Amino acid sequence: MNDATPAQTLTEVQPPPEVFNFAQHLLSCNTQRPDKIAFIDDRGTLSFSALDERVRRMAEGLRALGVKREERVLVLMLDCNDWPVSFLGAMYAGLVPVAVNTLLTAEDYAFMLEHSRAQVVLVSGALLPVLNAGMIKSDHEVHKVIVSHPEAPLHPAEAEFESFLRGYAPMQKPAATHADDPGFWLYSSGSTGRPKGTVHSHANPYWTAELYGKAVLGLKENDVCFSAAKLFFAYGLGNGLSFPLSVGATTILMAERPTPDATFKRWRGQVGQVKPTVFFGAPTGFAGMLASPALPDAQDIALRLASSAGEALPAELGQRFSAHFGIEVIDGIGSTEMLHIFLSNAPGRVRYGTTGWPVPGYVVELRGDDNLPVADGETGDLFIQGPSAAMMYWGNREKTRETFQGGWTRSGDKYVRNADGSYTYSGRSDDMLKVSGIYVSPFEVEATLVQHSAVLEAAVVGLIDAEGLTKTKAFVVRKAGAQVSEEELKSFVKDRLAPYKYPRIIEFIDELPKTATGKIQRFKLRALQAEPK
């Protein structure tokens, strides 16, 4: 039977003390390197000593506005040096920063303001218009809006970021928060319905940094981290803030979209004259980079390691990236609810096509429809147990109970455990297809399609025909200038998978709809479908 798989016990990592402020913890990790650069953005650099001072000034200023312990502060900012100052400043003061997606609508921000009851908003100037539109739609009022790099004159209720910081002396000591106190919120990026406010404690990012950033990735002080995933994502928050600050590494922050050209510019050291040594990306990004005519050669960059998450990494994609650059791509799976990666390959132990093994300190289990463990080789629902699990969804008891079950967190993913203890992704629980009475994993078909030299990306969904039967349909994005027919691709899949798994219909499209995290929005593809003839 597929018993729960513990990779190691937590006794190997010293837990945080009962009184624990995560912001203060990160600052204290770097008191011996005051002049070293902590962050590099498009405008300049921020040393560890300057970060320390600015975080404490922000903390003092927010408390001076009348924001009380555990009240929320909305952080709606592009990735820049002001982002960690805002996020950590709120935590240092015992307030609860709510990091939100910068790509949403005014309606979304109206909902988040009302749902979080945020007392202050910290916002990038470029995002101020959409925030203001959201505030008009919301009945909730905030004390102050603090604007980083404003692009237009500010109103009396708004304050310019630098002026605000200069108005306050650094807070002398952090709020005496406890390890289990609410530390921050992240909104889940669900594909349907309202996003859920996921509440994390002060201790949770400590555990992810210790168990994954240090123990698995092996991040060191001399590393330079660069994440395509933005700081408001759980994945990006670890990559670009918790992990590097916990070891004294430098982080490159990028406000713009992580296009191949923008990414390559950083890889080549054209921002801050520093080349990243560790890159954090997603499968969609890796595919786009490998297809780019501007793809750099290995000798032009300084990467020693690449990390992938967001969706499962197709084996062929990981192998091609490794062959070109001579480095490993460490694929793993995490979630907003678990804060970061809990199942992963590791440097020196990579099996492409799988998501690897449980991260030390986490336990995973695959369960069938009867909620009992399934045998190796059988598909089951993935459950996780670990110290970084969220406390709850704010104001949503039903979803909290559905996801957080005792000590276990239900991921909503389907997996298979292999004979060597590694795990292979089968798809989201609500995306699995039953064709002719047999389950078909969309991801397996997609991973096969992208092996074809003409295919850039693919997404597979189920289509109900006139008889009420499920047929598989693939949406395919071809590489620029490449040609391939529907019948060629069907034959290609039939030659590599069991006959019942090939897509009955293939439609070629220009691009796949995705969330801001790069996940394919299959519900939008299902809405595009026409009934097969």
Side-chain angles (χ1 to χ4, degrees), residues 36 55 103 134 138 201 204 229 234-235 252-253 271 283 372 480 518:
K36 187 183 178 187
V55 164
L103 302 174
S138 169
S201 70
N204 284 2
Y235 181 46
I252 296 173
L253 297 176
V271 175
L372 296 176

mmCIF file of all heavy atoms in Angstrom, residues 36 55 103 134 138 201 204 229 234-235 252-253 271 283 372 480 518:
data_model
loop_
_atom_site.group_PDB
_atom_site.id
_atom_site.type_symbol
_atom_site.label_atom_id
_atom_site.label_comp_id
_atom_site.label_asym_id
_atom_site.label_seq_id
_atom_site.Cartn_x
_atom_site.Cartn_y
_atom_site.Cartn_z
ATOM 1 N N LYS A 36 26.516 44.756 2.126
ATOM 2 C CA LYS A 36 26.230 43.879 0.983
ATOM 3 C C LYS A 36 24.878 44.248 0.369
ATOM 4 O O LYS A 36 23.957 44.677 1.073
ATOM 5 C CB LYS A 36 26.228 42.422 1.423
ATOM 6 C CG LYS A 36 26.108 41.466 0.237
ATOM 7 C CD LYS A 36 26.026 40.010 0.643
ATOM 8 C CE LYS A 36 25.859 39.159 -0.614
ATOM 9 N NZ LYS A 36 25.605 37.750 -0.317
ATOM 10 N N VAL A 55 12.790 49.219 6.705
ATOM 11 C CA VAL A 55 11.744 48.354 7.254
ATOM 12 C C VAL A 55 11.258 48.908 8.583
ATOM 13 O O VAL A 55 10.040 48.988 8.843
ATOM 14 C CB VAL A 55 12.269 46.917 7.418
ATOM 15 C CG1 VAL A 55 11.353 46.101 8.341
ATOM 16 C CG2 VAL A 55 12.381 46.225 6.062
ATOM 17 N N LEU A 103 -2.141 42.116 -11.429
ATOM 18 C CA LEU A 103 -2.738 42.003 -12.756
ATOM 19 C C LEU A 103 -4.262 41.916 -12.717
ATOM 20 O O LEU A 103 -4.889 41.551 -13.702
ATOM 21 C CB LEU A 103 -2.187 40.763 -13.466
ATOM 22 C CG LEU A 103 -0.670 40.716 -13.625
ATOM 23 C CD1 LEU A 103 -0.242 39.374 -14.207
ATOM 24 C CD2 LEU A 103 -0.182 41.855 -14.498
ATOM 25 N N GLY A 134 -10.995 50.749 -7.866
ATOM 26 C CA GLY A 134 -11.494 49.743 -6.938
ATOM 27 C C GLY A 134 -12.017 50.353 -5.658
ATOM 28 O O GLY A 134 -13.037 49.898 -5.101
ATOM 29 N N SER A 138 -15.782 50.183 -3.736
ATOM 30 C CA SER A 138 -15.825 49.547 -2.417
ATOM 31 C C SER A 138 -16.439 50.485 -1.388
ATOM 32 O O SER A 138 -16.249 51.702 -1.429
ATOM 33 C CB SER A 138 -14.402 49.156 -1.998
ATOM 34 O OG SER A 138 -14.370 48.774 -0.645
ATOM 35 N N SER A 201 1.111 32.123 9.183
ATOM 36 C CA SER A 201 1.687 32.569 10.444
ATOM 37 C C SER A 201 3.096 33.131 10.239
ATOM 38 O O SER A 201 3.693 33.003 9.170
ATOM 39 C CB SER A 201 1.759 31.392 11.423
ATOM 40 O OG SER A 201 2.757 30.457 10.985
ATOM 41 N N ASN A 204 5.534 30.187 9.366
ATOM 42 C CA ASN A 204 5.444 29.428 8.120
ATOM 43 C C ASN A 204 6.570 29.725 7.132
ATOM 44 O O ASN A 204 7.173 28.798 6.581
ATOM 45 C CB ASN A 204 4.083 29.641 7.473
ATOM 46 C CG ASN A 204 2.984 28.863 8.173
ATOM 47 O OD1 ASN A 204 3.233 28.193 9.173
ATOM 48 N ND2 ASN A 204 1.771 28.948 7.677
ATOM 49 N N ALA A 229 8.543 34.382 -11.163
ATOM 50 C CA ALA A 229 7.310 34.487 -10.374
ATOM 51 C C ALA A 229 7.423 35.685 -9.443
ATOM 52 O O ALA A 229 8.424 35.858 -8.748
ATOM 53 C CB ALA A 229 7.092 33.206 -9.573
ATOM 54 N N ALA A 234 2.980 32.883 -3.703
ATOM 55 C CA ALA A 234 3.658 32.101 -2.665
ATOM 56 C C ALA A 234 5.025 31.634 -3.157
ATOM 57 O O ALA A 234 6.025 31.715 -2.424
ATOM 58 C CB ALA A 234 2.788 30.909 -2.267
ATOM 59 N N TYR A 235 5.081 31.148 -4.387
ATOM 60 C CA TYR A 235 6.343 30.685 -4.979
ATOM 61 C C TYR A 235 7.350 31.822 -5.052
ATOM 62 O O TYR A 235 8.507 31.698 -4.621
ATOM 63 C CB TYR A 235 6.027 30.128 -6.370
ATOM 64 C CG TYR A 235 7.184 29.558 -7.161
ATOM 65 C CD1 TYR A 235 8.107 28.685 -6.591
ATOM 66 C CD2 TYR A 235 7.321 29.882 -8.512
ATOM 67 C CE1 TYR A 235 9.156 28.156 -7.346
ATOM 68 C CE2 TYR A 235 8.351 29.352 -9.278
ATOM 69 C CZ TYR A 235 9.270 28.494 -8.691
ATOM 70 O OH TYR A 235 10.299 27.970 -9.440
ATOM 71 N N ILE A 252 17.603 39.841 -7.463
ATOM 72 C CA ILE A 252 17.264 40.753 -8.554
ATOM 73 C C ILE A 252 15.740 40.787 -8.683
ATOM 74 O O ILE A 252 15.102 39.746 -8.801
ATOM 75 C CB ILE A 252 17.888 40.281 -9.881
ATOM 76 C CG1 ILE A 252 19.413 40.304 -9.795
ATOM 77 C CG2 ILE A 252 17.412 41.149 -11.048
ATOM 78 C CD1 ILE A 252 20.100 39.684 -11.001
ATOM 79 N N LEU A 253 15.167 41.984 -8.637
ATOM 80 C CA LEU A 253 13.717 42.160 -8.760
ATOM 81 C C LEU A 253 13.401 42.816 -10.100
ATOM 82 O O LEU A 253 14.090 43.734 -10.530
ATOM 83 C CB LEU A 253 13.175 43.020 -7.622
ATOM 84 C CG LEU A 253 13.323 42.448 -6.210
ATOM 85 C CD1 LEU A 253 12.820 43.449 -5.175
ATOM 86 C CD2 LEU A 253 12.591 41.122 -6.073
ATOM 87 N N VAL A 271 21.401 44.277 -15.671
ATOM 88 C CA VAL A 271 20.746 45.041 -14.611
ATOM 89 C C VAL A 271 21.596 44.899 -13.353
ATOM 90 O O VAL A 271 21.785 43.798 -12.838
ATOM 91 C CB VAL A 271 19.317 44.535 -14.340
ATOM 92 C CG1 VAL A 271 18.705 45.271 -13.145
ATOM 93 C CG2 VAL A 271 18.442 44.723 -15.568
ATOM 94 N N PRO A 283 7.120 26.181 -16.244
ATOM 95 C CA PRO A 283 7.242 25.486 -17.527
ATOM 96 C C PRO A 283 6.930 26.347 -18.740
ATOM 97 O O PRO A 283 7.634 26.281 -19.749
ATOM 98 C CB PRO A 283 6.251 24.326 -17.373
ATOM 99 C CG PRO A 283 6.259 24.028 -15.921
ATOM 100 C CD PRO A 283 6.374 25.374 -15.251
ATOM 101 N N LEU A 372 -8.994 6.280 1.325
ATOM 102 C CA LEU A 372 -7.961 5.368 1.808
ATOM 103 C C LEU A 372 -6.751 5.423 0.884
ATOM 104 O O LEU A 372 -6.877 5.736 -0.301
ATOM 105 C CB LEU A 372 -8.504 3.935 1.870
ATOM 106 C CG LEU A 372 -9.655 3.695 2.850
ATOM 107 C CD1 LEU A 372 -10.152 2.255 2.732
ATOM 108 C CD2 LEU A 372 -9.206 3.999 4.291
ATOM 109 N N ALA A 480 6.693 29.282 -33.850
ATOM 110 C CA ALA A 480 6.676 30.263 -34.936
ATOM 111 C C ALA A 480 7.223 29.653 -36.220
ATOM 112 O O ALA A 480 8.323 29.099 -36.243
ATOM 113 C CB ALA A 480 7.505 31.482 -34.543
ATOM 114 N N GLY A 518 0.835 31.478 -14.582
ATOM 115 C CA GLY A 518 1.236 30.648 -15.710
ATOM 116 C C GLY A 518 0.465 29.354 -15.815
ATOM 117 O O GLY A 518 0.748 28.532 -16.690
#
